[in-house]
Amino acid sequence: MTIGSFLLVGLLLLQHTCADNPNVIAANLSTTITANVTATFQKTFFFLLDSDVVSKKPVRISAKALNASVHNPLIVTARQILGVTSFTIPLNDEGYQIYNRVARTLCPQWNVPKSDVKLFLAVDVSSSENVRREFQLRADYVDNFELIENQKITANVTPSTPMYFRYKFKPTQLDGPVLVRVTSDSDTCATISVQSDMCPIHDLMYDIEYDGIFQSMTRLAAITVTPGFGSSGRKDFVVVVVVHPTDYTCEHLGHELLDQIRLNSSKPDPGPKPVPLFNQRKNVIISVETTMTYREYIFPTLITVGLLLIIYLLAYVGTILETEKFIRGFNLGEFEYQNMSDGEAEAGEIASAEEAVKSVPTDYGATTGYRRHKTQDSMGSVDYCEDLNEVLEIRRTKVELNVADLSVHSNDYKYRLYQWNLIPIAIFYALPVIQLVAGIQLIVHFTGNQDICYYNYLCSRPLGVVQQFNNIFSNIGYVLLGILFLLIVKHRDTKYQAAVKEKPILGKKYGLPQHNGIYYSVGFSLCMEGLLSASYHVCPTGYNFQFDSTFMYLMAGLLMLKIYQLRHPDVNPHAYTAYIFLSFTVLIEVVGVYLQTIYFWITFAAVYIVATLYFTSHMYYMGVISLDCGIFARISHFFRTDFLSSPKPLYMDRFVFLILVVTLNFAAAIMGVVVQPSDFPSFLLAVFLINLLAYFAYYVIMKFIHGEYPYPITIFCGFLTMVTWICALYFYFSTVTNWQLPAALSRVKNTECLVLDFYDNHDVWHIISSMALFFGFVTVLTLDDHLLNKPRNEIRVF
């Protein structure tokens, strides 16, 4: 027997039953019915449906309780061929509010075959009380149920009247995703869900998260949907709108456990239960818009790579020309000792050191009265290794130092350790990061919860399981330009070593010592920044922002060390010391993410101030003050000698600069305690960058004061650095997300794609900031090239 035969038999039975049973009523669509029920007598209403219409438009039933109790509500059950829907009136929504009117859209009958026989919908209304309870019932076809591309549909939704609409992919759209945009002028909290067009449709607060993709919403929701996104693989989908009885979900971060770990006593306790808001109602505008197809991704990606290749070409030409000038700086004619062997040269240096031991002046700055004399034994011998260390320590405290005074112990192996130590550090740091973000992305993909990651959903360009391919790909500039910088350093290093091999005296007596280990580390850090920034943008949140910032700390710290090492190679710390300090910084950053109490800020400020005092003392006395048990005695001695017994500081230029640095850092520490910024990683990164900028400015100013003028290539790269940083920071502060806010509020800041319909503001920041970092590195790399033909004992230290 066919389905049509069953429908015919059912219709005949319906007519017979309605005639004999007054509780079985034939009803009409679009008509409000008023009736009553008791526990003994329930009502069943049969609505005749048109098979041609019901295959396109679902039926929406609305019921209103006139005098029913929430403790003994009426039960409404709608029966169709393809499913059953039931609800109660009044509706007690999660215990927050009581709704007398409830409306539900029934599951569409898309698979029912068309025929001349009428279909029917049966709606049962029953009660558990013997008291008569009145109600109103109405059934209507849903007009404007189909979402049409680039056309808007307006809906008015309450917590008891959820709604959904259907979208059908066109055959021409199967090569790319579409964007479901839902907007509202109300801050009322709602959830927007995109589900496969299969029954049942989950349109209630407690089950809306069971299937599909969903977002919380205040004024904006944007979901990018690809064909066949659901587990069923169906190409079409429905957009569900459910309004919350309270705004709790949209006003809180949703990380209750992490918020408890943070123990942030400065924020008020939201309380165990949200406060109900009456008359929760939301007008929404729903539209489906076409976006870029996967094939259209090729053009903006090729444009980006092409732009970086142009920089490669210009850098290659510039490197060749500049390296020739770099090497021509060695064309100095005949050098003293140039024909000496290495052993002879070393013997000459030891002899010079012995003479220095015997003729050390007594007015070497802060070391007056602090020299440790060595006693000769009966044979009259002297320990020249210890005496040489003593002389070197005394040399550092001269009022006017030159690079020759601070490059006696300089050896390239010490600085090569920077690059070799950084490689295993980066590997062991990056592997767990990649594993973690890959797992989070899979969780987001399979749960459909788009409140976990803070994307710019209006400029979402997905690829496979990756939601924001554009945010990830835009980090390619860091990687490619990091590799380019490494190639430039390697080219210069090779040329320099060849020149030194031909004339060994060049590496001992002229120019600044050329130690490139930190440069290699900086270039490798730039590559790692690109990798880890891409990892962070797989699922950006406040709790994994450290992935994006860790190698920023490293680059800032290494650049400060490199600028300092240029003229202080003997004083610069070892790689182990530097990386231990930077790892301690990352540890503080992690603690600051989770434990932002007033006690943390006071402890951080105290450690910060002590570290500032130590580093400034270390710089002022050129490493004479070591971090050991005698540090306080030495500081006390130097303070009495240098400040109490002298009318003015012995090292005036350093003193003025370090006073400014101390003031700046003390102000930052105090600001942290008073303001307590919620974004601690950004605060800490700003501290690093400000100190780097201050020291670089001091270095450049002192060069000009001493008549040292860089080559034009350095000035040009410095200009490019300044311009690109200004542009990059403009886009950085033009934020499109904010993970300090709940996901629904952060989404309000989302904007359309800015460049090539592919990149948003933050992507542009990635591309331009990678160029700014590269030009900045080249500026530092070439800053002192003009000194290659100048004897080291004529190059001032500052």
Side-chain angles (χ1 to χ4, degrees), residues 61 75-78 84-88 104 106 204 206:
I61 62 173
I75 301 174
V76 180
T77 303
V84 177
T85 301
S86 64
F87 55 87
T88 61
R104 297 285 301 280
L106 304 183
L204 298 175
Y206 66 84

Side-chain angles (χ1 to χ4, degrees), residues 16 334 372 435 465 523 533 581 663:
H16 177 73
E334 296 298 321
R372 294 171 298 170
Q435 182 181 10
V465 298
S533 177
F581 169 76
T663 303

Side-chain angles (χ1 to χ4, degrees), residues 93 100 144 161 168 180 268 309 363 379 381 397 518 534 537 578 750:
D93 197 343
N100 289 319
N144 298 322
T161 59
K168 298 180 66 175
V180 176
L309 289 179
D363 58 347
M379 299 297 293
S381 62
T397 57
I518 298 182
H537 283 91
N750 289 179

Side-chain angles (χ1 to χ4, degrees), residues 424-472:
I425 291 173
I427 292 174
F428 280 102
Y429 186 86
L431 288 179
V433 168
I434 296 173
Q435 182 181 10
L436 176 63
V437 297
I440 294 175
Q441 183 62 53
L442 290 176
I443 291 173
V444 172
H445 179 71
F446 287 112
T447 64
N449 185 355
Q450 295 199 346
D451 284 350
I452 297 176
C453 306
Y454 284 73
Y455 300 127
N456 178 12
Y457 288 95
L458 288 180
C459 186
S460 178
R461 299 294 179 260
L463 186 65
V465 298
V466 177
Q467 178 69 28
Q468 296 279 107
F469 171 72
N470 49 331
N471 285 170
I472 296 174

Side-chain angles (χ1 to χ4, degrees), residues 691-702:
N691 279 277
L692 170 61
L693 182 62
Y695 187 54
F696 179 75
Y698 165 75
Y699 190 89
V700 173
I701 291 172
M702 292 302 294

